[in-house]
Amino acid sequence: MFDLGKQSVTVECPACHFTGQVTIKQVQIRDVVICRGCKGNIQLEDHLGTTEKAMRDLRRAIRQLQDQLAGMGRITIRL
Ligand SMILES: [Zn+2]
């Protein structure tokens, strides 16, 4: 299974609005990144729990896919 924490999300610098990519893991651990626009520190905060929700949705989607794949084992294919 792929690592959700390695998926990247786009964040915008609150000071200069320069956008950059960070990983979901970085947001979760509230990492500090340097803005490539103004060189300021950006404290990553997941105020609305957005990444948590996204990861829950993704996990659910993967589970559903697994269920579907498991279900396919019961289908008889006639040639
Ligand atoms: Zn900036």
Side-chain angles (χ1 to χ4, degrees), residues 23-35:
T23 64
I24 285 175
K25 185 86 199 161
Q26 282 180 291
V27 180
Q28 282 186 317
I29 62 170
R30 287 166 169 69
D31 201 5
V32 176
V33 293
I34 309 289
C35 172

Side-chain angles (χ1 to χ4, degrees), residues 4-77:
L4 290 173
K6 286 185 182 148
Q7 299 303 303
S8 60
V9 288
T10 303
V11 289
E12 187 181 284
C13 173
C16 71
H17 302 291
F18 194 94
T19 55
Q21 299 273 310
V22 297
T23 64
I24 285 175
K25 185 86 199 161
Q26 282 180 291
V27 180
Q28 282 186 317
I29 62 170
R30 287 166 169 69
D31 201 5
V32 176
V33 293
I34 309 289
C35 172
R36 285 184 297 135
C38 67
K39 308 294 176 200
N41 288 338
I42 305 172
Q43 170 74 60
L44 298 175
E45 289 269 6
D46 191 8
H47 294 292
L48 302 171
T50 322
T51 54
E52 281 299 317
K53 188 186 178 302
M55 287 182 71
R56 268 202 310 274
D57 288 349
L58 255 169
R59 284 206 196 91
R60 192 182 306 128
I62 290 165
R63 254 202 319 275
Q64 283 172 350
L65 185 64
Q66 285 172 336
D67 286 350
Q68 280 173 5
L69 290 174
M72 282 169 73
R74 292 194 293 270
I75 296 171
T76 307
I77 299 168

